[in-house]
Amino acid sequence: KLRDSFLSVMSQDDEDRAFNAAAVLMLKGAFQQTIEAYQSLAEKYPSRLGDCERQIGAAYHVQKQYDRPIEYYLSAEKNGAD
């Protein structure tokens, strides 16, 4: 259901709503869906690639996959995330 809600928002081409919907996935603990959502957002909004990579890294970190977040955090920094 969460994923369907995210996909519905993505189809509306509303950037802020799409990013908010992806954040809700993270808050709900749907970490794999969060990763997929931010990967989709990165493709649709390449100017926000760094933000997406930072959130993907966070999702991996929360899942204790500690080797994965490092690559995303470093890439996020290169792509403009704070």
Side-chain angles (χ1 to χ4, degrees):
K1 182 178 176 181
L2 291 171
R3 185 174 188 277
D4 293 339
S5 176
F6 172 77
L7 292 174
S8 172
V9 170
M10 278 288 287
S11 68
Q12 297 174 13
D13 196 33
D14 183 336
E15 184 175 346
D16 290 333
R17 285 188 65 201
F19 275 84
N20 288 339
V24 168
L25 292 172
M26 178 79 90
L27 292 172
K28 298 277 186 180
F31 303 118
Q32 187 56 43
Q33 291 176 344
T34 298
I35 291 165
E36 293 168 7
Y38 281 108
Q39 288 170 335
S40 295
L41 287 168
E43 290 177 23
K44 189 166 185 174
Y45 303 105
S47 65
R48 306 254 332 247
L49 177 61
D51 296 329
C52 294
E53 290 173 325
R54 182 185 56 208
Q55 294 302 324
I56 291 169
Y60 281 122
H61 181 88
V62 172
Q63 295 179 86
K64 300 182 181 180
Q65 296 181 32
Y66 298 120
D67 57 324
R68 308 273 326 254
I70 294 169
E71 66 184 87
Y72 282 98
Y73 290 148
L74 292 174
S75 184
E77 186 176 43
K78 289 180 189 174
N79 287 305
D82 350 345

